[in-house]
Amino acid sequence: MLEQLVGESQALDRALSGEELSFNDGMELMNYDNLHMLGAVADNSRKKLVGDIVTFTSSYYLNYTNICAASCQMCAFYRKGNEDDAYTLTPEQIEKRVALAKQMGATEVHIVGGFHPKAPLDYYEYMMRIIKSNHPELNIKAFTAAEIFYLSKLTKNSVKEILSRLKDAGLDSMPGGGAELFHPDIRSKIVRGKCSGEEWLDTIEQAHNLGIKSNCTMLYGHIEKPEHIIDHLIKIRDLQKKTNGFITFIPLKFSLDNTELEQEKQVTHECSSVYDLKVIALSRLMLAGVLNNISVYWVAYGKKLAQVALANGGNDLVGTAFSEEIYRAAGKPTNSSILELANIVKESGRIPAQRDTFFKILKKF
Ligand code: SF4
């Protein structure tokens, strides 16, 4: 079937032969309207690069505070310190939750929060130490590059100093959040009080240089245009060529409910499933050969669309996401068990496998 495509689109020809795609190729494919063929080429690339296994991890999501000095237009999670439902967990409370997560089978804890305007660096270091000393076998994946950058400004320490101290205290890896879209034309309209795209990239590069690997994300489906998606993917690709520090790329579908973008009617509905699948396929094709793990975040897609996304370039379902409060705030159901995720994969005709944070296979089903 794929041979029939030759000559139909230069960009697809290049993708089929495994060549690196340019910005113009990416734009051509964003505007290519045969989703079926685009998905098939992405699926072919996925099969060649990573085979038929679809992975997921047993992960516990913990948001240590919802108090945030920023007020991003795309966020339903943040609160100001004087609001009734504002909270900040103590390191001891966090450790108790982590102990519970371990009993539930978690192999990693994913810890992120708002930009707390008063919490000192000690708070974060102690949080790492108390978890690591009680649960040394768990991978602590904590703090987005945006949080690290904020903490550096707040405490007047360099990014490198913050990262080094947190690493010494137990930080093992970092999540990929806060990237949103790097392009300043869009970023300035969806985030308020958060680092720039360049600052995010510089912070995560410094983390990689210190041996802290991370994920990377892209928030799409709001007010962006195709060129902003391609720009973002190329910036991720360029940095990965330098550091090889990204573990997986996770496109995040914008969830509308309770956000300022919704309230101000700048976005009135979530993007279509066709667009979701195009973004997954483009992620696979633009990053092919450089960053080969493309994660499908089922929490945002729902399980059925996630299955289709796996046939359009995805090779990972992220994880169980026990207790994911950010998406819940924006109206998404959460929680799934490892067996449920394994069944999602089996139903889509692929081989399910539980992995650790760094994609080492722990168990096949
Ligand atoms: S996205 Fe993050 S930085 Fe922005 S308001 Fe929400 S919690 Fe704060």
Side-chain angles (χ1 to χ4, degrees):
M1 179 185 81
L2 292 176
E3 289 68 35
Q4 295 166 10
L5 277 175
V6 173
E8 184 163 319
S9 147
Q10 286 188 352
L12 268 191
D13 286 352
R14 274 199 275 280
L16 262 176
S17 58
E19 285 174 52
E20 183 171 292
L21 300 183
S22 66
F23 180 85
N24 287 342
D25 291 331
M27 288 301 291
E28 187 180 325
L29 295 182
M30 281 301 281
N31 293 316
Y32 184 71
D33 54 15
N34 189 337
L35 178 67
H36 184 59
M37 286 300 176
L38 184 65
V41 174
D43 195 45
N44 178 64
S45 171
R46 180 276 304 162
K47 197 172 176 64
K48 274 191 199 156
L49 292 167
V50 290
D52 287 332
I53 289 179
V54 175
T55 46
F56 40 81
T57 185
S58 182
S59 184
Y60 178 73
Y61 278 46
L62 190 147
N63 303 120
Y64 56 90
T65 183
N66 63 355
I67 295 174
C68 190
S71 47
C72 300
Q73 297 91 317
M74 39 48 104
C75 180
F77 174 72
Y78 74 91
R79 297 289 183 272
K80 294 301 163 190
N82 55 1
E83 291 185 66
D84 288 347
D85 54 352
Y87 72 85
T88 302
L89 301 177
T90 64
E92 288 78 8
Q93 287 172 318
I94 291 168
E95 190 281 319
K96 272 195 187 140
R97 291 193 187 190
V98 170
L100 205 62
K102 198 165 72 175
Q103 282 175 20
M104 290 161 76
T107 60
E108 70 170 28
V109 280
H110 171 120
I111 302 175
V112 293
F115 298 166
H116 198 293
K118 292 190 182 135
L121 184 51
D122 290 356
Y123 166 77
Y124 300 92
E125 286 183 290
Y126 183 45
M127 187 197 301
M128 295 295 98
R129 282 192 208 290
I130 193 170
I131 298 172
K132 196 44 104 182
S133 58
N134 286 289
H135 313 285
E137 70 284 24
L138 283 184
N139 184 287
I140 307 181
K141 185 174 71 176
F143 314 126
T144 66
E147 287 166 82
I148 297 291
F149 184 83
Y150 176 78
L151 198 52
S152 139
K153 291 279 164 243
L154 181 75
T155 63
K156 300 187 172 48
N157 287 293
S158 68
V159 163
K160 190 174 176 192
E161 172 76 13
I162 300 276
L163 287 166
S164 303
R165 284 175 62 172
L166 291 174
K167 187 180 179 200
D168 285 349
L171 178 68
D172 294 305
S173 60
M174 285 169 65
E180 323 308 0
L181 275 169
F182 297 135
H183 199 289
D185 290 354
I186 290 298
R187 196 172 182 86
S188 61
K189 296 186 179 111
I190 61 171
V191 306
R192 190 186 295 120
K194 187 180 272 193
C195 61
S196 69
E198 287 72 31
E199 287 162 342
W200 189 96
L201 287 160
D202 178 66
T203 302
I204 212 75
E205 183 173 353
Q206 294 195 54
H208 293 174
N209 290 341
L210 288 168
I212 306 168
K213 292 207 170 221
S214 77
N215 295 340
C216 48
T217 63
M218 170 176 74
L219 186 75
Y220 72 90
H222 38 83
I223 55 173
E224 83 279 4
K225 297 205 169 74
E227 55 265 40
H228 303 123
I229 299 277
I230 302 303
D231 172 80
H232 192 91
L233 291 170
I234 288 177
K235 283 175 176 153
I236 292 285
R237 186 172 74 190
D238 287 347
L239 183 53
Q240 181 71 345
K241 284 183 191 167
K242 269 171 95 177
T243 67
N244 200 29
F246 290 127
I247 305 164
T248 186
F249 179 66
I250 314 173
L252 296 173
K253 179 189 176 91
F254 173 62
S255 191
L256 182 67
D257 293 355
N258 308 321
T259 63
E260 194 178 314
L261 289 178
E262 179 199 35
Q263 281 149 11
E264 293 185 348
K265 298 199 171 27
Q266 291 191 59
V267 185
T268 53
H269 54 275
E270 291 183 6
C271 67
S272 70
S273 301
V274 168
Y275 188 72
D276 290 322
L277 297 176
K278 195 173 255 195
V279 168
I280 292 284
L282 259 294
S283 302
R284 165 62 64 197
L285 295 176
M286 292 299 296
L287 299 175
V290 178
L291 176 50
N292 290 331
N293 292 317
I294 304 297
S295 294
V296 170
Y297 195 34
W298 63 268
V299 174
Y301 288 162
K303 292 170 188 172
K304 292 204 183 304
L305 181 58
Q307 285 179 320
V308 186
L310 289 178
N312 280 258
N315 69 302
D316 179 68
L317 283 176
V318 188
T320 47
F322 299 126
S323 182
E324 213 284 19
E325 291 169 34
I326 293 175
Y327 268 91
R328 192 177 301 146
K332 289 280 181 287
T334 60
N335 288 338
S336 178
S337 71
I338 284 288
L339 287 179
E340 259 184 290
L341 292 183
N343 279 335
I344 290 174
V345 177
K346 275 188 191 156
E347 282 173 16
S348 64
R350 304 261 285 280
I351 306 157
Q354 187 181 343
R355 64 166 171 88
D356 72 3
T357 306
F358 303 109
F359 276 70
K360 183 175 152 219
I361 301 292
L362 301 177
K363 181 179 174 186
K364 285 192 192 164
F365 292 83

